Amino acid sequence: MARMKKCLWGMCLLLISAAAAQAVPATDSGTYFVANGTPQVNETLIRSGKNNNGRIEFSGYATFDLSGIAGAAAERGILLSGNLKVFQGKPAGLTVDFLGTYGEGDLTVTSGAEWGAAEAVVSRSVSPKENSFTVQMGLPADELVSRFAVFRFSNQMQASQWDLASITLSLADGAAARVAQKSEEPARSAMETAELYHKMVPAEKELDPDWVASLTERGHPLDAAIRGSKAEDSLKYIGMPVGGIACGSLVMDGAGRLYAWDIFGAQPKGIINQDVALPEGYVGFKNGLRKTIRIHDGANFMNPPTVEKFPPPVTSGFALKIQGGSEFAMDAAGWETVEFEGQWPVGNVAYNDSKSPVRVQLAAFSPFIPLNVEDSKLPATVMAFTLTNGSSKPVSVAFDGWLDVPGRDAKLQSASFNGATGFSLDLPKAGGQKAGSLGLTVIGDAEPIKKDGANGLRVSAELAPGESREIPFLITWRFNHDAYTKKFNNAAAVASYVSGNFERLSSQTRRWADTWNDTSLPQWFMDRAMAPASTMQTANLQFAGDRFWGWEGIGAGPGTCTHVWAYAQAMARLFPSLERNLREVTDFGLYQMEDGGVPFRPSKDKTKVAIDGQCGTVLRSYREHQMSADDGFLKRNWPSIKKAVNYLIEFDKNDDAYDGLLDGEQHNTLDAEWYGKVHVLCSLYLAALRAGEEMAIDIGDAAFETLCRDTYAMGSKNIEKLYNGEYYVQIEDPNHPDAIGVGPGVYIDQVYGQFWANQVGLGRLYNAEHIRSALNAIWKYNYLTDVGPFREVFKKGRFYAWKGDGGVIMCSWPNGGITEKQREFWTFGYFNEVMSGFEHQVAAHMIAERDPELLTKGLAIMRTVHDRYAPAKRNPYNEIEFSDFYARAMASYGSFLAACGFEYNGPEGMIGFDPLLHPENFRAPFTAAEGWGTFSQTLGPNEMKAELAVNWGRLKLQSIRLNPVGLEVGTAAVSVDGTPLNAQPVKTQNGISLEFKTPVTLAANQTLTVVLR
């Protein structure tokens, strides 16, 4: 008798492929089938079948608990029955085999090392009648001495997709009750369901005091900026995007090598598409039906791409040649010392070697100028190398760059323009890659060369002692992306534009990088707040004509999914016109329905509304209004915004009570319909009502203002019914006892609406003490310094955090309450996962509460994400969730706004700052509707001084709000570049507002100064 290794305990069905050797993988409840070793499933349907030359092949396994069943009784016969749906063809040739039994240890079968090869003890054909089947078989009593019986189903005749479900086992003579299938996990006692969470998520986090100190102190030894070095082997995983917005994906590693090259017009899956082996004993996506970790499940998290692992499709490189000396390739191998410092959108790489009298500094970027979309969506990468002669003698050098696309039958075209020298490669269509052109240009003079068979350019230079020279190379392309096709006909045209405007594009990009990093906030904090925004420079973003849209993550989740993108904050603050485009062209222009609903995938599903996405669309509309220079956006879109708010109010009215809370079937970002009163959705609803009220006030719609305010007033009181004394819970619908949800669990998003209220200045939505208690509960019950031990026990879920990584799990049940039925849903695995976009949301909320303990906890969560993506471990720019460069992660920018205490309303001309970290000496960047710059303040016992400097564009002001932190203000002096302004100080709830009698417009390079005494 062959032996099988011990099964994972507590799974309803065990799937074994024909190729599975010893391990027994596990799945969720139901009956699944395996076709040629690959489990088959389609959403909630349990289907099987692979057409192999007209023959549908499958096999599957079901296990049943036989505890208490006497062998003699079973020998009299058993009945195996179930439901059967045949989608096409005839259900001929379906057989069921009894393979044997097993107990808590090994499975015993009569022959073969694998179930697929096992000889049946008893075999019977199945004769379906209509949509069900029953088969009776007698089983040898001595085969039923153990606890579980295993049955195999197979089909060898022509048919099509089959759906088998609800398989039950009973005794033929009815002597015993129905025998239950083996459950996914054994029934747990209260200790096993509740105390297991307490055990696996310790309440005391035991954080390193030095690490905690680094959370707030710029320049602390543990202030971990995004840096890498050859010495620390932390260059290879870096993949900083260096292409234009919506122009495809091109990333650079920490040594200056370019890879990915997803610029050719074929939509990729992930930055690099790969499958990774599922760790032994873990349950793959869709309840074990995925036997590998796909790109959507965290493959690039578990196996971060490098140039060595995935050689790029384009041959490119750069090298320095010292006359009479050595040649140094611009990569990690070519130099003794290579160091990377990431200040996205600029990546800086320093190369030094004792054998080279010349040191090299690379600044790599694509033009990126906040608020200027046109010049930030250029299909161009700048590789600007600065050569410095560090010796005491003149040095003659040659600096080479080369570029080729092997296997594409490229035609070489030379070009010179605007003081630049270059060439382009005309590429024909190839598979899914479009025809187009790719070029290399040097700003200045160069000569054509061949480098290892590739076309290249050489710049020769004489460097005096101490002299530096910048050599900017441009890589440009044109492959029919709508982001740039109307503007450029080929790669040479792109190069001509960039070279002709190089000084402006380069200086403004660098000025933004300098502005962002000119701050008193810790560098790790600034890097993590901004890093996810790099998704804008990947294939995650698209244009369809003039319509802007985005995936959830690269190549995954189409339609600028409303509930995913509702978390993101960075793009709306850096390029507010892109978010306004989403509202006006897509949400309200093409897809809003008559009842006001906005489909959550407006490019795919034109009818299905997600409640969190609907609320988010309303809240984003209010944000887009605030990030506008005037009230034109609100006036144009108010009828549609009003309908969107009213959709939610009518949803409230149509449930069991019109009470300011939502009820009924509610689709949400965890890909399921939840029922009852769901804390997170009710919280968002209240925020949307407040936003609706504020917009109604601005537009002068008094009746709708009253409706929103009155409905909100009910809900802000009634939501306390969901508070259990420590945190908010979902009140589940008794009419849907088997629906998925979190019930009494501690859910990461339970007070998500307040996060949004903080982002757009809506004030406190409901009980402050209870909200803070809920946030503390998330920290207590969901935050882990190492998720490894937790995932060893809770094995379902995708892989966005792994052993040694900290993180916040999505939901825990420290007081019990999760049901066995809920565990059967494939979406249940989400609750065990760690997803950075949700973590950024709760971190930003904790910071904004202005409570010292919650401030530390919020920063700790954000830093935990940052450490998870440390360059030595993974790509620090690629926060992964359902594919690479996931949009939800742009919620990180919300933490930056919270730390600054930033508020802004463009149409009202109001800007405000109330910093949390070191307000006595604070400095940070800001963006507004038409300009960006730097805010700074100093606080002393008798004086506060604040400055608002505009570095680009302009800033229109009617008022500025500040918090003098206890200073009794007697006088207020306001000036612009030394010229006094007339401003009236008015006390506010959190400080003072300086109201200008005449609107003030600050131009670029102007500074407004405020002195309060």
Side-chain angles (χ1 to χ4, degrees):
M1 305 289 281
R3 311 289 285 180
M4 298 292 289
K5 288 186 176 180
K6 183 176 180 179
C7 297
L8 285 175
W9 194 243
M11 299 298 170
C12 172
L13 294 180
L14 303 175
L15 287 183
I16 306 298
S17 74
Q22 292 293 323
V24 180
T27 75
D28 210 342
S29 64
T31 302
Y32 296 92
F33 294 94
V34 179
N36 288 355
T38 303
Q40 306 292 308
V41 73
N42 182 4
E43 299 298 331
T44 58
L45 292 178
I46 306 163
R47 297 182 179 180
S48 70
K50 181 176 181 181
N51 193 324
N52 184 8
N53 295 323
R55 183 185 298 276
I56 301 300
E57 301 174 347
F58 67 80
S59 59
Y61 304 87
T63 63
F64 293 87
D65 189 342
L66 301 179
S67 301
I69 303 299
E75 189 174 9
R76 292 194 295 271
I78 65 166
L79 291 178
L80 190 64
S81 59
N83 296 323
L84 171 64
K85 182 176 181 180
V86 181
F87 292 86
Q88 295 178 21
K90 297 181 179 180
L94 180 62
T95 61
V96 57
D97 300 328
F98 170 61
L99 296 184
T101 58
Y102 73 104
E104 294 187 14
D106 294 338
L107 168 67
T108 299
V109 294
T110 55
S111 67
E114 304 158 7
W115 282 5
E119 180 181 328
V121 177
V122 176
S123 180
R124 295 286 187 273
S125 62
V126 172
S127 299
K129 185 178 181 180
E130 296 180 350
N131 292 325
S132 63
F133 71 89
T134 301
V135 60
Q136 180 172 352
M137 58 178 66
L139 302 181
D142 59 356
E143 285 290 341
L144 296 179
V145 295
S146 297
R147 188 175 181 188
F148 297 100
V150 182
F151 297 88
R152 175 177 61 202
F153 298 85
S154 61
N155 173 53
Q156 295 299 323
M157 298 296 289
Q158 185 172 353
S160 190
Q161 287 187 312
W162 295 33
D163 181 358
L164 280 77
S166 305
I167 298 180
T168 60
L169 182 69
S170 59
L171 297 183
D173 59 6
R178 165 182 165 177
V179 181
Q181 278 188 288
K182 187 168 177 282
S183 62
E184 181 214 7
E185 293 184 358
R188 288 185 173 131
S189 65
M191 179 273 175
E192 290 173 313
T193 53
E195 293 189 19
L196 187 58
Y197 280 102
H198 287 286
K199 178 181 178 181
M200 303 315 301
V201 187
E204 298 300 323
K205 309 307 178 184
E206 299 182 355
L207 303 179
D208 179 356
D210 285 341
W211 184 83
V212 173
S214 75
L215 299 179
T216 58
E217 295 179 19
R218 185 175 181 85
H220 189 282
L222 298 181
D223 182 359
I226 295 181
R227 296 190 179 98
S229 70
K230 178 178 178 177
E232 297 176 351
D233 192 23
S234 53
L235 300 172
K236 59 187 177 184
Y237 295 138
I238 292 169
M240 193 189 84
V242 288
I245 293 175
C247 294
S249 300
L250 180 59
V251 302
M252 183 185 77
D253 77 357
R257 297 179 299 176
L258 299 170
Y259 68 105
W261 292 95
D262 287 321
I263 62 173
F264 301 113
Q267 177 60 52
K269 290 185 178 180
I271 196 72
I272 294 292
N273 192 9
Q274 63 167 321
D275 277 15
V276 175
L278 189 69
E280 185 175 356
Y282 281 78
V283 182
F285 189 51
K286 289 282 180 84
N287 293 336
L289 293 181
R290 305 299 186 196
K291 294 307 177 186
T292 60
I293 302 173
R294 304 167 304 155
I295 200 68
H296 300 333
D297 312 329
N300 284 343
F301 183 91
M302 298 295 278
N303 182 38
T306 66
V307 175
E308 288 76 16
K309 293 176 186 176
F310 299 95
V314 174
T315 299
S316 67
F318 302 91
L320 171 71
K321 173 72 174 179
I322 308 295
Q323 185 175 13
S326 301
E327 181 172 311
F328 299 85
M330 309 310 296
D331 56 31
W335 297 79
E336 290 175 348
T337 302
V338 181
E339 296 179 325
F340 172 89
E341 181 180 30
Q343 294 189 342
W344 183 82
V346 180
N348 302 289
V349 186
Y351 306 86
N352 290 278
D353 198 296
S354 60
K355 297 185 293 296
S356 173
V358 175
R359 62 181 182 271
V360 181
Q361 179 77 35
L362 166 63
F365 58 90
S366 185
F368 186 93
I369 305 162
L371 307 180
N372 182 350
V373 173
E374 284 304 306
D375 282 336
S376 300
K377 60 182 182 74
L378 299 173
T381 296
V382 177
M383 304 288 282
F385 294 91
T386 299
L387 282 54
T388 301
N389 180 5
S391 73
S392 59
K393 298 179 180 179
V395 177
S396 296
V397 300
F399 198 85
D400 298 341
W402 58 95
L403 183 70
D404 204 359
V405 187
R408 285 293 296 270
D409 192 25
K411 294 182 179 179
L412 179 65
Q413 305 285 342
S414 298
S416 297
F417 34 73
N418 297 326
T421 307
F423 66 85
S424 62
L425 304 171
D426 289 345
L427 302 173
K429 182 179 179 181
Q433 298 180 341
K434 299 175 182 177
S437 57
L438 177 65
L440 181 67
T441 302
V442 169
I443 297 180
D445 294 328
E447 60 178 306
I449 61 169
K450 284 284 187 177
K451 194 82 168 183
D452 297 329
N455 295 290
L457 298 168
R458 172 169 291 169
V459 177
S460 299
E462 296 282 338
L463 297 175
E467 183 182 1
S468 295
R469 177 176 173 181
E470 184 181 65
I471 304 175
F473 280 81
L474 311 178
I475 297 172
T476 58
W477 60 93
R478 203 274 192 187
F479 290 96
N480 206 32
H481 287 258
D482 284 352
Y484 55 75
T485 49
K486 291 182 179 179
K487 192 169 185 177
F488 305 109
N489 293 324
N490 50 43
V494 181
S496 177
Y497 179 82
V498 176
S499 61
N501 294 275
F502 184 74
E503 183 178 354
R504 175 179 63 85
L505 296 173
S506 174
S507 63
Q508 291 183 7
T509 299
R510 295 181 196 230
R511 189 165 197 188
W512 166 250
D514 291 342
T515 297
W516 180 257
N517 292 285
D518 180 17
T519 177
S520 60
L521 291 164
Q523 192 63 48
W524 76 264
F525 179 86
M526 299 300 290
D527 286 354
R528 186 47 46 200
M530 182 58 76
S534 66
T535 191
M536 291 187 287
Q537 289 187 330
T538 72
N540 206 30
L541 272 62
Q542 308 283 322
F543 279 88
D546 293 328
R547 176 192 166 203
F548 170 77
W549 67 279
W551 300 85
E552 295 179 35
I554 294 178
T560 322
C561 181
T562 59
H563 52 55
V564 169
W565 278 82
Y567 289 76
Q569 301 297 326
M571 190 172 74
R573 301 294 178 173
L574 299 173
F575 298 97
S577 64
L578 292 179
E579 285 283 0
R580 289 196 294 268
N581 181 290
L582 284 171
R583 303 290 82 71
E584 295 194 84
V585 178
T586 299
D587 294 344
F588 301 139
L590 294 173
Y591 291 102
Q592 188 176 36
M593 298 178 288
E594 277 301 311
D595 62 1
V598 177
F600 79 94
R601 291 198 190 279
S603 66
K604 181 182 179 183
D605 188 328
K606 299 181 181 181
T607 60
K608 192 167 186 64
V609 174
I611 293 299
D612 47 0
Q614 183 78 11
C615 294
T617 300
V618 172
L619 288 158
R620 293 157 80 189
S621 298
Y622 187 43
R623 180 189 61 194
E624 272 62 275
H625 167 55
Q626 292 182 331
M627 284 298 292
S628 298
D630 54 37
D631 59 4
F633 170 83
L634 182 60
K635 286 181 177 178
R636 290 192 305 272
N637 294 282
W638 174 243
S640 298
I641 297 170
K642 181 177 178 180
K643 286 173 64 176
V645 179
N646 199 61
Y647 176 93
L648 294 165
I649 295 174
E650 289 300 314
F651 194 97
D652 181 3
K653 290 180 177 179
N654 288 333
D655 65 27
D656 63 347
Y658 174 40
D659 55 0
L661 303 179
L662 299 180
D663 208 339
E665 181 181 295
Q666 299 159 75
H667 190 78
N668 66 83
T669 194
L670 293 193
D671 298 326
E673 281 64 41
W674 292 11
Y675 294 85
K677 297 187 184 300
V678 184
H679 39 26
V680 53
L681 303 179
C682 291
S683 179
L684 279 170
Y685 176 41
L686 293 178
L689 288 170
R690 281 285 295 113
E693 178 187 354
E694 291 296 330
M695 286 185 280
I697 291 172
D698 289 347
I699 210 72
D701 191 335
F704 198 70
E705 171 195 343
T706 300
L707 175 62
C708 290
R709 183 171 57 248
D710 291 350
T711 307
Y712 161 77
M714 289 190 297
S716 63
K717 294 178 182 178
N718 289 329
I719 199 170
E720 294 309 311
K721 297 175 183 178
L722 280 63
Y723 186 69
N724 72 354
E726 187 179 12
Y727 53 89
Y728 289 88
V729 300
Q730 173 194 359
I731 298 178
E732 296 170 284
D733 186 344
N735 295 319
H736 296 273
D738 294 333
I740 188 67
V742 292
V746 184
Y747 183 49
I748 191 171
D749 267 0
Q750 59 184 275
V751 285
Y752 176 23
Q754 188 62 57
F755 159 84
W756 254 112
N758 299 335
Q759 292 294 300
V760 292
L762 293 174
R764 179 67 63 185
L765 292 180
Y766 43 101
N767 191 294
E769 181 182 349
H770 293 175
I771 288 176
R772 291 184 182 126
S773 179
L775 293 172
N776 280 310
I778 294 168
W779 172 266
K780 178 180 179 181
Y781 297 120
N782 295 40
Y783 176 78
L784 289 157
T785 56
D786 184 354
V787 304
F790 177 86
R791 287 302 301 271
E792 282 292 323
V793 175
F794 298 93
K795 294 183 180 292
K796 272 190 180 181
R798 297 165 297 176
F799 298 87
Y800 311 130
W802 191 230
K803 297 173 182 178
D805 297 325
V808 184
I809 59 172
M810 293 290 290
C811 193
S812 67
W813 281 266
N815 296 313
I818 186 67
T819 68
E820 295 302 316
K821 184 64 178 176
Q822 288 169 326
R823 294 178 192 275
E824 296 175 5
F825 284 84
W826 65 267
T827 56
F828 178 77
Y830 288 169
F831 298 134
N832 299 329
E833 295 173 6
V834 170
M835 294 184 265
S836 67
F838 295 90
E839 293 173 291
H840 285 308
Q841 180 275 126
V842 77
H845 185 174
M846 288 178 173
I847 293 168
E849 285 292 331
R850 311 188 72 85
D851 173 85
E853 289 188 7
L854 282 172
L855 172 62
T856 298
K857 292 171 181 176
L859 291 171
I861 290 172
M862 189 179 177
R863 177 61 182 272
T864 297
V865 177
H866 187 68
D867 290 350
R868 205 160 65 229
Y869 286 95
K873 299 171 69 174
R874 298 178 185 96
N875 184 356
Y877 296 99
N878 180 14
E879 293 188 26
I880 298 172
E881 178 200 333
F882 195 52
S883 197
D884 296 328
F885 288 93
Y886 199 75
R888 195 190 324 259
M890 286 192 283
S892 63
Y893 201 92
S895 288
F896 166 71
L897 297 179
C900 296
F902 179 76
E903 53 183 337
Y904 178 72
N905 190 312
E908 292 182 2
M910 182 277 292
I911 197 169
F913 302 87
D914 188 2
L916 279 79
L917 300 182
H918 305 296
E920 71 282 357
N921 188 9
F922 181 82
R923 187 176 183 87
F926 71 88
T927 62
E930 299 178 290
W932 44 263
T934 301
F935 169 79
S936 61
Q937 69 174 43
T938 56
L939 273 169
N942 303 310
E943 180 184 273
M944 176 182 186
K945 183 178 180 180
E947 290 188 339
L948 197 62
V950 176
N951 297 338
W952 187 93
R954 65 178 185 173
L955 178 64
K956 293 188 292 186
L957 291 177
Q958 189 71 55
S959 65
I960 179 171
R961 297 179 184 177
L962 303 169
N963 185 357
V965 192
L967 179 69
E968 288 293 329
V969 178
T971 62
V974 183
S975 61
V976 174
D977 293 342
T979 302
L981 296 178
N982 192 340
Q984 178 68 34
V986 177
K987 285 188 177 181
T988 65
Q989 183 177 359
N990 296 316
I992 192 169
S993 176
L994 296 165
E995 312 284 343
F996 302 114
K997 292 192 175 181
T998 302
V1000 176
T1001 298
L1002 299 178
N1005 302 314
Q1006 284 192 309
T1007 300
L1008 181 146
T1009 302
V1010 177
V1011 179
L1012 302 177
R1013 293 189 176 92

